[in-house]
Amino acid sequence: MTTTAATDAENSGAHPLFAQALRELGLDEVVPLIRRFPEATRTAAEAAAALGCELSQICKSLIFAADGVPVLVLMDGASRVDLELVRKELGADKVTRAKVDVVRETTGYAIGGVPPFGHRTKTRVLADRSLLAHETVWAAAGTPYTVFPMTPRDLVAHAGATLVDVRESVS
């Protein structure tokens, strides 16, 4: 990404760490697609309402602790993560939601703005297959006010994710 493109990424409202990740991944074409909203898009419901899309088109980036080790789970906005399925997938004894400070320390971002890639540290990434149901999904661009679109397959690839089935079943 050129200096101008880097400035454009930061001017788009993308978090500087995320803007750097876009540069490093050669994703210049994503920069003009970043959308910034005056109201927070911290939750999947807020993001879907702001974008006028289906809740399931939002990609949630959720940090869990598997035996104390952070792991990122990418899930569609209409679904919940089944911790038992994550535990089995990882071969862990215990999986819990990561504490706020662990999320920021691991990713470099606040909860509600965690993107699917471009984190401060390298973590294992699981992506639920439900994301593949759409041509395009929207994910946080590093702040609670910014989102970007991407095809689910590209998002999974850039996140270095393993496709899994960890969605809580609806009874």
Side-chain angles (χ1 to χ4, degrees), residues 4-168:
T4 303
T7 303
D8 289 348
E10 286 153 11
N11 289 343
S12 70
H15 189 285
L17 184 60
F18 186 67
Q20 178 184 343
L22 291 175
R23 277 194 299 279
E24 290 171 359
L25 291 168
L27 294 173
D28 299 4
E29 71 278 4
V30 173
V31 175
L33 303 176
I34 295 171
R35 304 259 315 261
R36 180 173 176 75
F37 295 96
E39 281 82 39
T41 52
R42 189 176 311 270
T43 67
E46 289 170 347
L51 289 162
C53 70
E54 291 178 36
L55 189 56
S56 61
Q57 286 179 273
I58 303 301
C59 174
K60 299 187 288 192
S61 298
L62 306 167
I63 300 290
F64 294 91
D67 295 337
V69 177
V71 61
L72 172 66
V73 177
L74 304 176
M75 178 60 70
D76 79 82
S79 301
R80 294 176 52 97
V81 174
D82 184 319
L83 295 183
E84 180 60 16
L85 292 176
V86 172
R87 186 193 69 72
K88 286 178 183 175
E89 186 66 42
L90 298 172
D93 289 326
K94 184 178 181 182
V95 174
T96 59
R97 277 209 179 260
K99 296 188 184 312
V100 173
D101 58 330
V102 171
V103 172
R104 184 170 299 271
E105 182 181 305
T106 301
T107 67
Y109 307 97
I111 292 174
V114 177
F117 52 84
H119 298 176
R120 179 182 291 155
T121 62
K122 181 80 173 141
T123 57
R124 184 151 181 205
V125 184
L126 303 178
D128 191 80
R129 287 182 211 288
S130 60
L131 291 168
L132 301 179
H134 299 284
E135 284 185 34
T136 301
V137 293
W138 292 83
T143 78
Y145 297 91
T146 55
V147 294
F148 72 98
M150 188 169 275
T151 68
R153 292 228 179 257
D154 286 347
L155 187 136
V156 167
H158 291 303
T162 302
L163 277 174
V164 294
D165 294 303
V166 294
R167 180 170 53 167
E168 198 174 81

